[in-house]
Each structure stands twice: as C-alpha cells, then as structure tokens.
C-alpha cells in the first residue's frame, strides 16, 4: 500500500512544483557533468585528431625492418585504414648538380590524416594543385635553388630517373625539429624498388600508418603491442609535436572546469534536498501520528528520491547529449574534418555523479525526514536552514569523491578539497565575527538598514551554507575567467609575435660576415649564433657503444645514439634549459659535458661518467657534469649534448642562427639561398600557424565552458534564494500586516542582498587569488603576480549578481497584497 | 451489572524536557483510568500540560516516568514503530489545525490511515465517511480549496476510517468560528456515539468539556479539582 501512497504523493508534489527544485538540481548535476565531460572529451578528441595530422595518421608504428604484411592485415581486420611510408637519406643527381636529400616514399592513401598539398610549380604559394603518382616526385622549395632545377626536370634517385612535378606546399608530418636537415623529396612507394637503394644494411625507416575509430585503434593496439619486435615501436605523438604541452594544459584545464561544474551542481542538489526535507517535516509527523512506521516513511520518501533521480538522469542525459552534439557541431566549424565519436564516459560519469549527489547530499535530509518524531505533529512547524553536521560531512565526502573521480588525480583532488575546507572554515569564522559586529552597527541605522542588518545577522547564522555557496559560485566564475586569461596568455607567450620563424643551419665561419651584412641590408634581426660540430658518441666509461642495428647478436653491448649528434659549446645555459642534476660550467670547467635528461636516461648516463665522442675522426673525452631538462616546444635551437667551451674550440664548426621574416618578404629566402647555397633555411611558419590555430580553438572551447559555469553558478544562487522563500513569505506577511510600506521592504531587501553579495564576493576573491597563486606556481611554474582587477571585480560581481537574482525572485512576493500573502502563508 | 472495561490507564506519569539550564517537568504524577466507550475531557489553560498528556496517552511520545496502558498495550515499554502499529490499528486523531496533507485530496487524506494499515476497502469506506460528514461532493478537492470547517470535517472522517478504539481530539474547534465549531463538535460526538469509540478530548473550553461524561482538570502539569482551580485563580 505504501507504493500507491508514495506514487500519489509524488505525482501531486510534481504538480505543486516543489519536487521540481530537487529534480532540477539533479538534472543540473547530470546535465552539466555529461555536457562538460562530453565537451572536454570532444575538444580533447578534436585536439587529438588535429595533432593526428602532425603524424598523418591516428597511430604510427615505426620499424627499422621491411614492411610485414601480417601487421597490415591485422590492422585491416580491425577495420583500420592503412598506409605505408619509407624514409631514407640519399644523394640526388640532376645533370652536374648533386645534393643529399631526405626521401620519403609513400603508398596510396597517404596521408590518412591531415592534408598533403602539392603544387605543379616551384613556388609553394602558386600553381595548380597536383597529386602524387608513380614516376614523379615533389620536392621541398629550397631544392629548386640548391640544385638549379625546375618543374619538369629529371632527377635521379639511385638507379631510377624521376620527373620533378612540383613543390611540396604542405606536408602534414614534416619534421618539426629545427635540425630538419637535408631538403625533402616525396616519391611514390611503388618506385622505391626500382631505385635499388634498399640493400641489406641500408638505414631506412619504415612507418605503418593507421587510422580509424578510437575503439578499433585501441583493440588493434592491444593486439599488436605484445607482438612488437625489438625493431618496432609506436610513435609517441606528444614528443613529436610542438603542441604536446598545449594539449596537456588544455586537458588539465578542461578537467578542472568540469570539476567546478560538479561542485556547483552538488551544492544545488544539497540545497534543494534540504528544502524538500524541511517542507515535508510536518506531513511526515502527521503520517507517523496516523500510524506509519519509520520504514514506511523511508519507502515513501525514498521512492520519491529514486523517481526524481531516475527522471533527472533521463532528462539530464538527453540535455547533456544535445549540448555535446551542439558543441561538436561547433568544433566542426573550426575543424572541417573533425569526426565526432560517441563516448560512454560522459554518460556513466553523469550517472555516477547523480547517484553520488543523491546518496551523499540528498539522502541525508531524507533520512532526517524519516526520523521526524510523531510528537512533532503537536508542535508548531519551524523553518530551520541551519547546517546538519552529518550532511556537511557526507556532502564533503561526496565533493571530494567527485573531484577525485573527475580529475583522476588523487593529489589534485585532496589539495583542492583541503583548500575548499579551509575556505568554508574561513567563511564560518568571518560570519561569526560579522554577527558580533552587525548588532552595534545596526543600532544607529535607519529602520530599513536596521531590518536588513537584523535579517542578515539572523540568516548569517542560520544560513552559513547559503553564504558559502554564494561565495563558491562567484569564486568559480572568477577563477575560470582569470585562469582562462592566464592560460591563453601562457600559450601566446610560448610563441610571441615576432618570434624567429626562419632558421639558418650549416653557416660556415666565413659566411657569418656575409650573413650579417645581408641581415643589416634587409633590416633583419638575427638571433645569436650557435656553433655546431657533428660528432658521434663512441663510448661511455670506456665501454664501446653499439652504433647501429645489425644482424649480429650484440644484445650484451651498451646501446648508443645510433647517429651523429650536433655538438655545441656554450658558456651560458640557454634560457629554455633547466639543470636537474649537477652544475652548469663555470669559468674553470674543462673537458665537461651537459647531457639532455631524456637522452641521459636512455643511455643510463650519470653525473661523473666519462664519455668519448669521435669528431672528425678524433676522440674527444668529457665528463658528465650536469643533466638538463630541455623545453623541446620552445622553437629554439636545442642540443642533446653541450660541451664545455675548451673542448671543441679548435674544430671547424658551422653555425645556426634564426630571424623573423614577414610572410610578404618570403622572396628574401630565395635571394639568401642563391647567395649562400650551402646554407639550409628551415621555416617553422607552418608549425607556428598550426599551434596558433589550436590555441584559437581551445580559447573558444574555454569561453563556452565559462558560459556554462556562469549559468550553473546563477542557478545555484537561484536555488539558494528559493530555499529561503517560505521563511521570507512568513516574515513579509507579518511585516505587511504590521503596516510596512513597499519602499521600506524593497530597500531592506536590496540592502540585505547587496551586503550578502559583497561579503560573498570578497570571500570569493580571496579564494580565487589563493587558487590562482597555486596554479601559477604549481602548474605554470611562474612567480606570483597579484590580479588587481580581481579585487574590485569579485565584490562588484557579488553585489550585482546576488542583488539582481534576489530581487528578481522576490519582487513578486513584495508586490503581493498583504492579505493575499497572509492567506498563502496560512494555507502552507 | 457489567463491570466497565478499562481502556486507557496512566499510572504516576511524569514528563520532563531538557532546557538550557537543567530540565523542566511538564507533567507531575498523573494517574487516570478511562473505560471503553467513555468520553473524557482534559481541561486546562494554555501551557497546563494537557496536550503533553494527550501525546503520552496516544503513544506519540513516551513518559519520563510512570506507565501508560492503551487497549491492553504497555505503551511505555514499546518502541516508536511498535507504538506506530498500535496507533494505526487502534487510535484516531483530530487536531486543532486539521493537519491535512496539502498534496492529497479530501478523499485521499481520509483513506491515508487505512491505506497505511493495508486496508483494501479504504476508498469505499472513505467515500462513506465523507458522505457522513457531508462532503461527498468535495471528495476530490484539495485542502487549500476547502474552508476551515470543511477541512476539520475531512480530518474527522480521517480519524474514523480505521474504526479506532480510541479517538484523541486536540482542541478540535478552537480554530473555527463559534457556529462552525459547534457543528464540528456535534459531528464528532455523533460519529463517536455511533461507533462506540472511547473519546479523549483536550480543550480549554468548559462548554465543550461539559459534553463529555467525565472531566480531568489540569493546572501546571497536575490534575486539580474545579474548586482547587478556582482557589488558585482567586
């Protein structure tokens, strides 16, 4: 029988509109979690897809051994598209001219991701678009100058003669390193055999390219990984692309934004559940007096919560999914080849969040409701919006659990949670202080101010929770706004306007003065010169290193670098390098070397180890004196090995420098190439453009999330004011009956909300500044900088938002005639 | 001669509540017996403890000391849920402020106790009772759509739906105007007589109390005689 009572009550409550508050709060929780998580996933997936263009595929398997058809078949069985590519260095011949070049041979279907742009001309900016066919090649623009060739000419690669059809205008997976090296040539894979270049022992890189749905890729990777041979490895996308760290930061930030949405939704759910419980206390006392047991009450009201959860889950999931669809549509406007993929994660995260919110926020008030004593039927109903300790604890556990669940980072969740706890304590302490201060202040004020202060004083105690949530909502909006600005600033700083976009490599000592003259003549700002000497690492602590993969079993031998390294010598540590162990050279340092951290790890190098390089056939011995972390995304010349200045000074070196060139003056590069044909010009313009594109997309995504957070914050404020509605109705009814004028009540109300908003805004500002300090120092590794704008924006936002929302919700009550108000209160 | 069956018995009942500085005793050493089908009034001014006594006799609350027996059950030894089961079966209530559930219709309010007790004929019986209190046409009205007198009539119908052995009425006409109050009292007594229910009525109204077979007078948590009360007032 309880079920029919429960259903009837539920249905009527829905009609009366009271259960909608709790349903809406949970709907908000589910909707915001599903949409935020979905958008996060969508943006992440868009960024991944975008960066997939940098490797021309979703997944790349590199190998030093010829293609294995079994790998391709396995990929095809997993519904993946495949392509192959080979890369090797070879001499090109065109008449009398010859040039070392990096040849890339690709199969049909290349690229699987990104865009390959070929033009039937010698200029990347003009000419017909073309496609690659067997028998032809496309070459990097500088090769036309270097070899004195033109489109239509023949060049020889090994034993094969091929027609130069045009220029490579855009190659999605072109190397990003400033040591790009030899000019690049693109040929068809079918032509490789005829060149007869592939011989046993040739150094050729083989790449399998794969693309397809995320789940198919994951399956394929899981099947393939155990079968990988010593010669095969997956290509790590992040290390290859300059957007790796931008991606990582974007993901962290979007997760943080999602987390804020949850906290807001959780607060809304708690407020709504508390209100619901309050409103039903007397009904429960009546039902109990009429003979209901506690279990029956739990079943009746528990089923209400269950139905509300079910309803909210359903609607929230649909609304969230629609938002995701809209966001994905938005992403496609930026990224035309973006492929939206359905993902279960936002849905189950939303379900889990709803269940956690319902159990740990809403279940406690329900439990309290079931414990209402039958004797309360004889007592006057009271409205108590105070804090229930157990609900506070269960709510806190829920918030932390959700933080952990959503961020997936234990330390971050504990840190953030501890900070929120500290904030809550700070608020309670400040509220208590204000209670003491408000009384003497109120004594000397006009009656409207006195009423506002009296209301505030009373509610500050009863509704500390309200102050905390107001503050939290404003804090989140402020934090997101400032963090967004900070993050975008950070990204833009990474590639500031006017940063060098043209690198010059292979400059001889004699060419330096010519180059300086050229720069002065054309008003170009040259970066400093980095000397470079090519050398091979031969031994570590007198142990000979394995130099390349051979058929002999040398597994016992220590692994080397496998190629020549660019060695430099510097007396000052480069700006984007950070010493992680040992010390940088001092004036007296001799025979020392500083090693890049990841290479040191790969070679198992420690401080104090002695290494021998072979430079021009001469052994150079040095001791490892420091290990450096290098920011590979800095678009600056970076070095694995930096030697102390004494070691290489006598060797003939070449130099690297860089300068910034406007796109309109690109013809200067041709002049430079004619003037110094041996100097290699490497343009990073395309990379910078790609990174800027991504920054733009992430900025739009962040603005979208900011809007969602602001909306959620506004809804929490609305829910909070709604929770005090009955109490305010009673008070207003009494005051109106006692003859209070409309203007008097309006002024008191506005003043009360303005004061509350100012307090909440101030608290939010303090917390936001604290949080920004932590983020600046821990996430961005930056020194602290105060945010002056925040200190006026926070309180002003608090006053305006809280007053407007309060006024908007209560103006109807204020305008209601006294008699009507009294009847409403009496009828309950 | 038939010996009347004792239906409600209180022995040395006391009730104290905690206050900021110690405890406050609301009821002192109350003993009474009420027989089956008897109508008894507990009379007293506001704050005299009569509602507290009603809550103990009806099993809504437990005494700090003493015993309460209702229809053979030792209420003072039972848990909240055990007392709830007895209330569901044997007790009906009429409250001063009606206490109808605002989200249920008149009929649903009436049938609520019967449904809680698992009675499948609740709806039929509810309609009959609404007929008896003259509200059959308003069976599907919500409390907010009924006048105060009509709401109390619904509450009376609700009190009788489980055919309770005992009916407790707490100031049933105090929130109504004199004419409506009198109609409500008539209805209550006539239904009570018809069903042979034991009636315990709490009131400050001597006239209403006079309609009961016996009266207990309360002052400051104790029973007093009318003479004692007069002496105290005097």
């Amino acid at each position: 029988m309880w079920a029919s009572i429960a259903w009837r009550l539920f249905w009527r409550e829905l009609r009366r509109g009271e259960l909608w508050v709790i349903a809406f709060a949970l709907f908000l929780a589910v909707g915001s979690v599903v949409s935020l998580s979905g958008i996060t996933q969508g943006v992440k997936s868009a960024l991944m897809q975008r960066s997939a263009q940098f490797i021309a595929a979703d997944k790349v398997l590199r190998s030093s051994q010829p293609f294995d058809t079994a790998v391709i078949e396995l990929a095809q069985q997993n519904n993946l598209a495949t392509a192959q590519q080979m890369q090797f260095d070879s001499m090109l011949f065109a008449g009398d001219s010859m040039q070392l070049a990096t040849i890339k041979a690709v199969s049909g279907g290349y690229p699987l991701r990104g865009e390959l742009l070929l033009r039937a001309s010698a200029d990347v900016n003009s000419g017909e678009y073309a496609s690659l066919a067997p028998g032809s090649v496309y070459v990097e623009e500088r090769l036309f100058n270097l070899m004195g060739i033109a489109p239509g000419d023949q060049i020889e690669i090994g034993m094969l003669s091929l027609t130069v059809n045009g220029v490579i205008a855009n190659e999605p997976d072109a190397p990003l390193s400033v040591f790009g090296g030899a000019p690049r040539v693109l040929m068809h894979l079918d032509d490789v055999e005829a060149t007869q270049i592939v011989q046993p022992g040739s150094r050729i890189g083989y790449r399998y390219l794969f693309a397809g749905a995320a789940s198919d890729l994951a399956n394929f990777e899981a099947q393939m990984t155990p079968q990988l041979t010593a010669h095969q490895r997956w290509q790590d996308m992040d290390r290859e692309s300059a957007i790796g760290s931008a991606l990582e930061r974007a993901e962290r930030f979007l997760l943080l934004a999602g987390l804020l949405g949850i906290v807001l939704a959780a607060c809304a759910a708690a407020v709504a559940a508390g209100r619901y419980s309050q409103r039903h206390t007397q009904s429960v006392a009546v039902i109990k007096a009429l003979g209901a047991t506690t279990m029956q009450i739990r079943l009746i009201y528990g089923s209400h919560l269950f139905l509300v959860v079910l309803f909210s889950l359903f609607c929230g999931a649909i609304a969230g999914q629609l938002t995701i669809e809209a966001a994905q549509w938005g992403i496609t406007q930026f990224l035309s080849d973006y492929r939206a993929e359905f993902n279960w994660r936002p849905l189950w995260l939303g379900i889990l969040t709803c269940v956690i919110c319902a159990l740990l926020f809403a279940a406690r008030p329900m439990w309290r409701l079931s414990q209402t004593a039958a004797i309360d039927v004889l007592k006057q109903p009271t409205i108590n919006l105070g804090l229930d300790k157990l609900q506070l604890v269960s709510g806190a556990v829920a918030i932390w659990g959700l933080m952990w669940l959503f961020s997936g980072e234990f330390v971050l969740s504990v840190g953030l949670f501890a900070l929120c706890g500290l904030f809550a304590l700070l608020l309670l302490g400040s509220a208590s202080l204000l209670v003491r201060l408000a009384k003497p202040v109120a004594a000397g004020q006009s009656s409207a101010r006195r009423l506002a202060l009296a209301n505030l004083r009373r509610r500050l105690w009863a509704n500390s929770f309200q102050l905390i949530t107001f503050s939290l909502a404003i804090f989140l909006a402020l934090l997101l706004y400032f963090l967004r600005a900070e993050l975008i600033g950070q990204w833009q700083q990474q590639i500031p306007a006017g940063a060098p976009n043209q690198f010059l490599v292979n400059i001889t000592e004699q060419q330096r003065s010519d180059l300086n003259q050229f720069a002065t003549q054309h008003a170009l700002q040259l970066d400093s010169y980095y000397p470079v000497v090519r050398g091979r690492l031969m031994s570590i602590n007198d142990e000979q290193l394995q130099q390349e993969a051979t058929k002999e079993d040398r597994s016992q031998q220590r692994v080397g670098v496998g190629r020549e390294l660019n060695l430099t010598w510097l007396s000052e540590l480069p700006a984007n390098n950070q010493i992680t162990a040992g010390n940088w050279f001092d004036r007296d340092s001799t025979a020392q070397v500083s090693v890049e951290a990841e290479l040191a790890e790969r070679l198992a190098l420690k401080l104090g180890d002695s290494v021998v390089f072979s430079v021009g056939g001469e052994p150079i011995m040095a001791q490892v004196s420091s290990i450096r972390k290098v920011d590979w995304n800095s678009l600056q010349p970076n070095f694995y090995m930096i030697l102390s200045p004494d070691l290489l000074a006598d060797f003939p070196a070449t130099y690297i420098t860089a300068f910034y060139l406007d796109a309109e003056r690109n013809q200067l590069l041709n002049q430079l190439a004619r003037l110094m044909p041996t100097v290699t010009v490497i343009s990073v313009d395309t990379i910078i453009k790609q990174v800027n594109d991504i920054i733009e997309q992430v900025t739009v995504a962040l603005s979208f999330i900011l809007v969602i957070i602001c909306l959620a914050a506004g809804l929490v404020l609305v829910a909070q004011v709604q929770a005090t509605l009955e109490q305010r109705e009673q008070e207003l009814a009494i005051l109106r009956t006692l003859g209070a004028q409309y203007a008097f009540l309006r002024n008191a109300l506005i003043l009360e909300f303005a004061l509350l908003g100012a307090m909440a805004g101030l608290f939010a500002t303090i917390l936001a500044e604290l949080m920004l300090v932590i983020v600046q120092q821990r996430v961005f590794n930056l020194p602290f900088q105060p945010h002056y704008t925040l200190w006026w924006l926070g309180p002003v936002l608090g006053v305006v938002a809280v007053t407007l929302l309060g006024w908007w919700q209560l103006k109807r009550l204020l305008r209601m005639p006294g008699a009507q108000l009294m009847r409403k209160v009496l009828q309950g | 001669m038939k010996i009347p069956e004792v239906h409600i018995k209180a022995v040395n009942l006391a009730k104290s509540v905690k206050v900021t500085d110690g405890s406050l005793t609301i009821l002192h050493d109350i003993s009474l017996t009420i027989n089956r089908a008897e109508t008894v009034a507990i009379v007293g001014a506001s704050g005299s403890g009569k509602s507290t006594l009603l809550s103990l006799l009806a099993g809504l609350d437990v005494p700090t000391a003493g015993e309460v027996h209702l229809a053979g059950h030792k209420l003072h030894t039972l848990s909240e849920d055990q007392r709830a089961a007895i209330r569901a079966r044997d007790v009906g209530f009429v409250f001063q402020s009606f206490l109808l559930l605002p989200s249920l219709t008149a009929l649903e309010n009436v049938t609520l106790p019967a449904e809680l007790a698992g009675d499948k004929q609740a709806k039929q019986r509810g309609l009959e009772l609404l007929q008896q209190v003259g509200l059959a046409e308003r069976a599907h009205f919500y409390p907010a759509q009924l006048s105060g007198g009509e709401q109390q009539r619904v509450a009376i119908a609700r009190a009788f739906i489980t055919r309770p052995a005992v009916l407790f009425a707490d100031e049933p006409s105090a929130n109504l105007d004199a004419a409506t109050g009198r109609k409500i009292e008539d209805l209550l007594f006539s239904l009570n007589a018809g069903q042979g229910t034991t009636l315990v009525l709490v009131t400050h109204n001597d006239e209403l109390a006079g309609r009961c077979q016996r009266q207990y007078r309360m002052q400051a948590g104790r029973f007093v005689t009318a003479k004692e009360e007069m002496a105290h007032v005097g």
Side-chain angles (χ1 to χ4, degrees):
Chain A
M1 287 305 261
W2 66 265
S4 76
I5 298 172
W7 176 249
R8 220 178 295 139
L9 275 172
F10 176 76
W11 199 238
R12 300 292 155 64
E13 286 299 327
L14 275 186
R15 242 182 17 197
R16 274 171 66 93
E18 289 168 359
L19 266 179
W20 286 109
V21 180
I22 189 162
F24 188 67
L26 286 177
F27 163 79
L28 196 69
V30 181
S32 63
V33 170
V34 172
S35 55
L36 283 176
S37 162
I39 292 165
T40 307
Q41 296 274 318
V43 173
K44 200 171 139 190
S45 147
L47 293 178
M48 293 299 279
Q49 285 180 22
R50 183 75 200 233
S51 54
Q53 296 178 3
F54 288 82
I55 57 169
D58 289 333
K59 202 95 200 144
V60 170
L61 181 67
R62 297 174 84 148
S63 174
S64 56
Q65 298 288 302
F67 294 116
D68 180 354
T69 47
V71 174
I72 298 161
E73 278 165 15
L74 184 65
Q76 283 165 348
Q77 279 164 22
N78 279 289
N79 307 315
L80 299 179
T82 62
Q84 295 86 50
Q85 105 185 17
M86 285 167 74
Q87 195 164 310
F88 51 87
D89 288 345
S90 178
M91 290 305 285
L92 303 180
F93 298 92
D96 294 338
S97 167
M98 61 180 186
Q99 170 70 42
L100 180 71
T102 299
I103 320 279
K104 187 159 91 172
V106 296
S107 67
Y110 167 88
L112 298 177
R113 297 280 180 249
E115 194 180 19
L116 173 70
L117 222 57
L118 305 172
R119 281 181 189 266
S121 74
D123 181 1
V124 292
N125 296 314
S126 64
E128 293 283 306
Y129 288 116
S131 60
L132 182 68
S136 62
V137 291
Y138 288 82
V139 301
E140 202 178 326
E141 194 177 19
R142 60 186 160 124
L143 200 70
F144 289 105
N145 275 327
L146 284 171
M147 297 189 76
I149 52 173
D153 289 355
Q154 293 285 309
I155 57 164
E156 285 164 37
I157 303 174
M159 304 301 288
L160 185 66
S161 180
L162 295 154
T163 309
V164 179
N165 261 14
V167 67
I168 307 170
N170 182 48
E171 183 188 354
D173 53 343
L176 303 183
S177 161
V178 291
F179 296 116
R184 299 173 66 75
V185 173
L186 189 72
M187 66 184 285
H188 201 283
L189 193 67
D190 292 354
D191 290 333
V192 174
E193 201 182 339
T195 64
Q196 295 180 24
I197 280 173
V198 184
Q199 303 290 335
S202 311
R203 295 186 62 194
I204 294 171
Y206 295 86
R207 292 183 189 191
Y208 302 82
L209 277 57
F210 308 107
S215 55
D216 292 334
L217 282 164
N219 283 341
F220 172 61
E221 191 182 355
Q223 290 166 24
M224 194 60 221
T225 303
Q227 300 178 30
L228 291 183
T229 65
H231 306 287
Q232 293 172 328
R233 68 181 175 88
W234 295 112
Q235 180 162 330
D236 182 353
M237 186 163 58
D238 286 357
R239 278 204 52 196
E240 292 289 318
S241 74
I243 64 151
S245 71
L247 249 178
E248 198 180 301
R249 282 177 193 177
E251 188 183 343
R252 268 192 193 188
F253 189 81
L254 295 176
L255 277 175
L256 189 71
L259 206 135
L260 306 184
I262 293 175
V263 174
L264 280 182
C267 286
V271 173
R275 181 179 182 228
Y276 179 76
S277 164
Q278 279 287 330
R279 292 185 69 91
H280 288 83
T281 307
Q282 198 176 40
S283 292
V284 169
V286 172
I287 301 173
K288 275 197 163 183
L290 296 177
T293 60
T294 306
M295 181 50 81
Q296 281 176 317
I297 298 290
R298 276 180 201 152
L299 286 171
I300 291 170
Y301 285 91
S303 67
H304 285 190
L305 186 60
F306 177 75
L307 288 171
V308 165
V309 167
L310 215 60
F311 174 80
S312 307
L313 262 180
F314 182 71
C315 296
I318 289 179
Q321 200 56 45
L322 287 175
T323 316
I324 294 173
E325 297 291 332
Q328 281 175 340
W329 178 83
I331 292 171
T332 55
Q333 301 304 300
F334 280 95
L335 210 63
S336 53
D337 58 349
Y338 171 67
R339 291 155 291 117
E341 282 170 3
F342 182 78
N343 192 330
W344 281 104
R345 187 179 141 84
L347 275 181
W348 76 250
L349 213 57
I351 293 170
L352 208 59
T353 306
C354 185
V355 171
I356 290 176
C357 281
L359 284 180
L360 292 173
F361 281 95
R364 171 63 191 159
M366 292 293 183
W367 189 263
R368 259 173 94 185
L369 187 63
S370 74
Q371 286 173 323
T372 305
I375 180 69
D376 289 350
V377 81
L378 296 175
K379 293 177 183 165
Q380 196 67 311
T382 52
I383 294 169
N384 173 21
L385 293 166
L387 296 169
D388 170 6
K389 280 179 197 149
L390 206 66
Q391 194 189 358
L392 209 61
V393 171
S394 67
V397 169
I399 289 181
W400 172 71
L402 289 170
M403 283 175 173
W404 190 13
L405 173 76
F406 210 66
S407 70
E409 284 186 43
F410 182 77
V411 180
L412 179 73
S413 64
V414 169
L416 206 62
F417 180 75
L419 204 74
C420 290
L422 198 74
F423 175 60
L425 283 177
L426 184 85
L427 273 180
L428 285 172
S430 313
S432 136
L433 191 71
L434 283 165
V435 168
R436 285 163 212 275
L437 289 177
K439 204 169 182 179
V441 171
Q445 301 293 328
S446 75
S447 51
R449 279 186 213 149
R450 203 159 55 232
L451 180 66
L453 282 170
N455 268 341
L456 202 59
R457 196 171 68 228
R458 191 154 40 83
R459 289 208 180 85
L460 267 178
W461 265 134
N463 308 349
S464 312
F465 185 59
Q466 190 179 355
L467 186 65
I468 292 175
T469 42
F470 276 163
S471 309
L472 193 65
I474 298 166
F475 155 69
L476 295 180
L478 285 175
L479 182 70
L480 201 67
Y481 177 75
F482 279 89
L483 220 49
R484 176 180 158 274
E486 194 115 329
L487 206 60
I488 295 166
Q490 273 287 304
W491 283 332
Q492 281 168 348
Q493 258 176 31
Q494 196 158 317
I495 306 171
N501 58 354
Q502 310 294 336
F503 286 81
L504 303 179
V505 184
N506 217 14
I507 306 161
T508 61
E509 185 71 51
Q510 294 75 23
Q511 285 171 328
R512 278 176 66 174
S513 54
D514 293 348
L515 189 60
N516 287 340
Q517 204 182 337
F518 180 84
T520 320
Q521 197 183 334
H522 295 96
L524 298 172
Q525 186 72 43
L526 283 185
D527 208 357
S528 46
Y529 285 93
Y530 290 86
V532 176
V533 168
R534 302 278 288 179
R536 193 171 277 270
L537 180 63
M538 302 305 288
S539 70
I540 297 171
N541 295 337
D542 296 333
E543 196 181 335
Q544 287 297 310
L545 301 179
Q546 192 179 328
Q547 292 301 328
E548 60 193 67
T550 66
K551 286 180 181 169
E552 296 166 46
D553 182 14
R554 292 200 196 160
S555 53
Q556 297 303 311
Q557 202 175 338
R558 197 165 179 164
V559 178
V561 181
R563 61 178 171 88
E564 278 197 322
L565 288 167
N566 292 296
L567 307 176
T568 192
W569 63 95
L570 296 167
S571 49
E572 298 292 327
L573 178 69
N576 50 340
N577 285 225
Q578 195 186 341
I579 299 286
T580 55
N583 295 304
W584 182 248
F585 313 130
D586 54 34
R587 272 185 201 172
D588 308 323
S589 296
T590 53
Q592 291 185 356
V593 59
S594 173
V595 188
E596 190 270 335
E598 283 182 39
L599 183 70
E601 199 184 325
R602 208 171 94 204
L603 299 176
L605 272 174
K606 303 182 301 297
L607 288 179
D609 281 354
S610 67
V611 293
V612 175
F613 297 96
S614 169
V615 180
E618 268 189 55
I620 299 286
M621 195 195 277
Q623 198 177 36
V624 177
S625 62
S626 65
I627 309 282
R628 277 171 303 123
K629 206 171 120 186
V630 174
D631 180 4
W632 292 103
N633 299 329
S634 62
L635 294 178
Q636 293 289 319
N638 286 311
F639 296 88
Y640 281 116
M641 300 280 188
I642 302 178
L643 279 70
S644 56
D646 60 302
L647 281 174
L648 296 174
D650 296 336
F651 285 88
T654 60
Y655 293 85
I656 296 176
T657 189
F659 61 92
Y660 174 76
L661 188 69
D662 287 334
E664 302 90 65
R665 298 170 73 200
N666 260 351
Q667 81 288 352
L668 272 184
L669 294 178
N670 291 336
Q671 278 186 41
L672 190 67
R674 272 194 295 276
L675 193 70
M676 286 172 256
T678 56
V679 171
T680 307
V681 183
I682 297 165
S683 171
V684 292
D685 254 351
T686 334
I687 306 163
I688 292 177
K689 188 180 172 303
Q690 280 169 328
V691 172
N692 278 332
D693 275 1
I694 286 164
I695 291 173
E696 200 173 309
Q697 284 163 33
V698 174
T699 307
V700 171
L702 288 181
S703 309
F704 182 66
I705 288 173
L706 178 65
V707 170
I708 288 186
I709 293 281
C710 284
L711 278 178
L715 285 168
V716 172
L717 297 185
V718 170
Q720 274 291 10
V721 177
Q722 288 257 321
T724 62
L725 221 54
E726 290 80 14
Q727 199 182 24
R728 287 181 187 280
E729 273 174 8
Q730 281 184 8
E731 285 166 6
L732 277 176
I734 292 165
L735 286 167
R736 292 299 286 271
T737 311
L738 293 176
Q741 302 273 312
Y742 170 76
F744 168 80
L745 292 173
R746 182 198 58 203
N747 292 346
L749 191 80
I750 288 176
L751 200 62
E752 183 192 336
F753 277 110
L755 284 172
L756 192 63
M759 255 190 296
L762 185 68
F763 292 144
T765 302
I766 294 168
L767 189 73
E769 186 69 288
L770 267 172
M771 201 66 195
L772 286 169
V773 172
I774 293 173
V775 172
Q776 271 183 338
Q777 297 194 335
R778 298 297 300 271
V779 182
F780 299 133
N781 298 319
L782 282 176
F784 167 66
Q785 276 182 328
H787 302 77
Y788 298 109
T789 328
L790 179 72
W791 287 91
W792 66 261
L793 188 64
V796 167
L797 185 71
V799 170
V800 173
V802 175
T803 311
L804 281 180
L805 281 168
W807 172 247
W808 173 62
Q809 287 184 91
L810 295 174
K811 65 173 196 288
R812 194 183 51 83
L813 270 189
L814 271 182
R815 287 176 182 154
M816 206 181 271
Q820 194 185 336
L821 197 60
M822 190 56 107
R823 205 161 41 244
K824 192 168 186 290
V825 170
L826 287 175
Q827 285 177 353
Chain B
M1 183 185 149
K2 193 181 171 191
I3 300 167
E5 185 190 342
V6 174
H7 208 183
I8 302 172
K9 185 176 162 191
V11 185
N12 305 123
L13 270 190
K15 180 74 184 175
S16 306
V17 288
K18 281 185 185 157
V19 286
T20 327
D21 42 358
S23 75
L24 176 73
T25 305
I26 311 170
L27 288 184
H28 303 268
D29 199 26
I30 298 279
S31 294
L32 60 74
T33 50
I34 298 169
N35 295 326
R36 181 174 289 278
E38 202 177 3
T39 55
V40 173
I42 300 168
V43 195
S46 291
S48 60
K50 54 187 191 304
S51 289
T52 306
L53 177 60
L54 177 136
S55 73
L56 296 179
L57 296 178
L60 291 174
D61 203 359
V62 284
T64 317
E67 296 178 3
V68 191
H69 302 258
L70 182 123
H73 303 285
K74 295 176 183 172
L75 291 186
H76 55 282
T77 63
L78 302 179
S79 69
E80 168 90 32
D81 279 349
Q82 286 168 322
R83 284 182 277 124
I86 291 166
R87 286 199 301 272
R89 201 171 52 239
D90 296 327
V91 178
F93 285 101
V94 177
F95 301 104
Q96 177 179 351
S97 48
F98 329 135
L99 294 181
L100 300 178
L101 266 60
S103 49
L104 296 184
T105 62
L107 177 63
E108 287 163 351
N109 265 292
V110 172
T111 57
L112 181 65
E115 285 184 276
L116 285 170
D119 181 356
K120 294 210 168 97
Q121 305 299 316
K123 192 174 175 187
Q124 185 56 39
R125 170 113 179 104
L127 284 168
E128 281 170 25
L129 277 164
L130 279 174
Q131 183 84 42
Q132 286 182 49
V133 299
L135 283 175
E137 282 138 34
R138 306 217 162 182
H140 301 293
F141 280 41
Y142 287 93
Q145 298 167 308
L146 300 172
S147 70
E150 287 169 334
Q151 287 191 44
Q152 193 61 308
R153 275 146 72 190
V154 173
I156 290 170
R158 177 177 71 181
F160 282 100
I161 186 131
T162 53
R163 295 189 177 87
V166 189
L167 182 69
F168 290 96
D170 182 18
E171 305 274 18
S173 54
N175 271 11
L176 302 168
D177 61 79
T180 315
R182 192 157 312 239
K183 281 182 195 162
I184 288 296
E185 289 158 14
D186 291 345
L187 182 66
L188 184 66
F189 279 96
S190 86
L191 274 173
N192 189 62
Q195 296 206 6
T197 313
T198 306
L199 175 67
V200 180
L201 194 145
V202 164
T203 183
H204 63 276
N205 180 344
D206 281 338
E207 196 187 328
L208 175 61
R211 297 179 71 169
C212 293
Q213 292 162 338
R214 279 198 294 139
Q215 290 101 37
Y216 286 98
R217 226 158 252 288
M218 287 198 76
Q219 199 170 59
R222 296 173 200 277
F223 280 155
V224 290
T225 60
K227 202 191 265 179
E228 282 172 323
E229 189 182 36
M230 287 305 288
H232 187 82
V233 173

